[in-house]
Amino acid sequence: MVTAKVWVLKKHFEGFPKTSDFDLKKIELPNLKDGELLLESVFLSVDPYMRPYSRRDMKEGDIMIGTQVARIVESKNPAFTVGAFVVARSGWRTHFISDGKDIQLLPSSWPESLPKSLALGTVGMPGLTAYFGLLEVCKMKPGETVLVNAAAGAVGSVVGQLAKIGGCKVVGCAGSDDKVAYLKKIGFDEAFNYKTVTSLDEALRKASPDGYDCFFDNVGGEFASIAINQMKKHGRIAVCGAISQYNDSVPQKGPYVQVPMIFKELQMEGFLVTRWNNRREEGLKALLKWVVEGKVKCHEQVTEGFENMPMAFIGMLKGENIGKAIVKV
Ligand SMILES: NC(=O)C1=CN([C@@H]2O[C@H](COP(=O)(O)OP(=O)(O)OC[C@H]3O[C@@H](n4cnc5c(N)ncnc54)[C@H](OP(=O)(O)O)[C@@H]3O)[C@@H](O)[C@H]2O)C=CC1
Ligand SMILES: CCCCCCCCC/C=C/C=O
């Protein structure tokens, strides 16, 4: 008999999540039936979507949603061997049982030397978000200028590097001087700390006096309202995330987008990375290749210990992470 530790949502978040909104519990797992596997989580992901999705998809007492890289410790399914690593969507649990249908083996070409946690970041859902958002929504072209916010995070840091690979000029904004230094290190042409500039409008203008062809928006709210005015004619805005609004108890008010949208003839499109689930393999293959070649650099903010999951999640929402926020069990 295996005992799993799980984190449940004790109380729906009101405003910014608190550690007291979570409860750590223990669950006895049953013995495996034919066709089933026992897995242990090795790395778990904490992601911004957990904040809005908890309200939409969960009730109090449910196990927190989320993904992990897990190792197969017992198998009664001939398609999966003990010791193999998979990406699963089993929520905040140390151990779980699967019938093998909703788990994905790490690509067979995954180098031994590459951290498996990257399957939750650059070579996982956040990397795919950057890849499809830039190619399919922004439709970036060589020579264009791309703006990205939350630029030092899991999605943003990949957006900037893919845009450079695609022959664009890249401007990134992030919330600390250390993050700005990181952006310059990984090849961003311009980067600034949006928290310390006297005027965001002026800082954006200085970074690209001619304006922006593409804006990959991870933040929404006031930042997006200011940035939209600096789009070039026929610019494209990929509305990827709105993290500045996820913890609001009262919805923020305008300014509104219609006037710049009309006079600059902009395209603005929201998207979910799951739209391209049928092209997941293509995206992961491309991302893995760039990482192995050293063309895309990865950084992870690793929190040690399953007990610290709520703290890691709250820290990520506060902006404490450079690169992908990960918990190592
Ligand atoms: N559409 C889709 O399919 C997907 C959307 N997303 C979205 O992409 C965005 C980035 O996700 P991800 O890369 O995983 O997360 P990050 O690794 O970027 O972590 C979140 C970052 O958001 C920034 N942030 C937090 N609060 C605010 C705020 N009030 N104003 C501005 N910035 C803030 C912080 O960076 P800083 O210090 O720079 O402020 C923080 O580090 C999120 O909005 C997320 O919801 C992610 C995956 C898929
Ligand atoms: C329980 C795991 C669900 C994984 C869903 C990933 C979809 C991410 C879409 C993100 C939207 C905003 O952050």
Side-chain angles (χ1 to χ4, degrees):
M1 191 81 87
V2 172
T3 304
K5 286 190 246 172
V6 302
W7 277 107
V8 302
L9 178 70
K10 182 160 82 182
K11 195 164 175 326
H12 268 299
F13 307 123
E14 297 292 345
F16 213 90
K18 308 180 285 302
T19 49
S20 58
D21 297 329
F22 302 89
D23 224 356
L24 184 59
K25 296 205 162 161
K26 286 185 177 171
I27 296 182
E28 298 289 331
L29 298 183
N31 290 327
L32 293 190
K33 295 198 272 263
D34 281 345
E36 289 185 336
L37 318 160
L38 173 67
L39 298 110
E40 71 178 1
S41 301
V42 181
F43 299 104
L44 293 114
S45 183
V46 285
D47 296 89
Y49 73 79
M50 293 166 179
R51 175 62 180 88
Y53 280 33
S54 68
R55 179 61 73 176
R56 200 194 65 166
D57 295 347
M58 294 176 63
K59 53 185 190 319
E60 290 174 357
D62 283 353
I63 295 174
M64 279 297 296
I65 49 172
T67 54
Q68 58 267 90
V69 168
R71 195 174 70 88
I72 300 172
V73 289
E74 199 185 330
S75 175
K76 288 197 171 180
N77 182 326
F80 295 93
T81 47
V82 169
F85 287 85
V86 304
V87 176
R89 307 199 318 189
S90 285
W92 295 17
R93 310 172 193 252
T94 54
H95 297 81
F96 54 97
I97 290 173
S98 162
D99 61 6
K101 289 201 182 113
D102 201 21
I103 57 176
Q104 274 112 18
L105 285 164
L106 257 57
S108 54
S109 53
W110 196 279
E112 199 48 50
S113 58
L114 200 66
K116 294 181 173 55
S117 47
L118 294 183
L120 301 172
T122 306
V123 193
M125 185 277 284
L128 292 171
T129 305
Y131 180 85
F132 290 114
L134 266 180
L135 293 184
E136 301 298 340
V137 184
C138 282
K139 298 188 170 67
M140 66 161 180
K141 294 190 268 302
E144 291 191 328
T145 302
V146 175
L147 169 65
V148 58
N149 48 19
V155 175
S157 58
V158 183
V159 168
Q161 296 183 82
L162 297 192
K164 285 306 296 175
I165 291 172
C168 296
K169 171 180 169 172
V170 183
V171 177
C173 310
S176 76
D177 293 347
D178 283 350
K179 290 185 180 188
V180 169
Y182 174 66
L183 295 179
K184 292 194 172 144
K185 191 171 131 195
I186 62 173
F188 279 61
D189 298 287
E190 301 284 339
F192 63 85
N193 179 345
Y194 71 92
K195 289 185 181 165
T196 55
V197 291
T198 34
S199 154
L200 177 58
D201 196 56
E202 273 172 30
L204 288 170
R205 204 177 302 283
K206 187 167 163 230
S208 180
D210 297 337
Y212 297 91
D213 302 281
C214 302
F215 171 27
F216 195 108
D217 185 14
N218 288 316
V219 167
E222 192 186 352
F223 187 108
S225 303
I226 293 171
I228 197 171
N229 292 305
Q230 300 215 17
M231 296 302 293
K232 292 189 192 174
K233 194 140 178 150
H234 300 296
R236 285 92 60 204
I237 303 175
V239 184
C240 174
I243 196 164
S244 69
Q245 298 168 246
Y246 294 167
N247 294 306
D248 289 346
S249 307
V250 179
Q252 293 176 28
K253 290 218 162 177
Y256 302 102
V257 298
Q258 287 79 4
V259 172
M261 291 280 297
I262 296 163
F263 290 106
K264 289 171 185 278
E265 298 189 64
L266 303 177
Q267 287 181 39
M268 185 174 190
E269 183 180 349
F271 72 96
L272 288 171
V273 61
T274 46
R275 191 191 304 178
W276 297 280
N277 274 352
N278 62 340
R279 291 174 60 192
R280 202 169 167 273
E281 243 175 78
E282 165 204 320
L284 292 181
K285 193 173 160 204
L287 290 161
L288 182 58
K289 182 167 178 286
W290 283 317
V291 168
V292 169
E293 289 171 352
K295 291 184 179 154
V296 170
K297 305 266 191 293
C298 314
H299 193 276
E300 295 179 310
Q301 198 75 41
V302 181
T303 301
E304 298 270 346
F306 184 74
E307 285 70 16
N308 294 320
M309 292 248 7
M311 211 184 70
F313 175 57
I314 292 168
M316 177 277 300
L317 290 176
K318 281 189 189 156
E320 287 170 3
N321 59 306
I322 293 187
K324 178 73 187 97
I326 292 286
V327 173
K328 184 170 184 292
V329 176

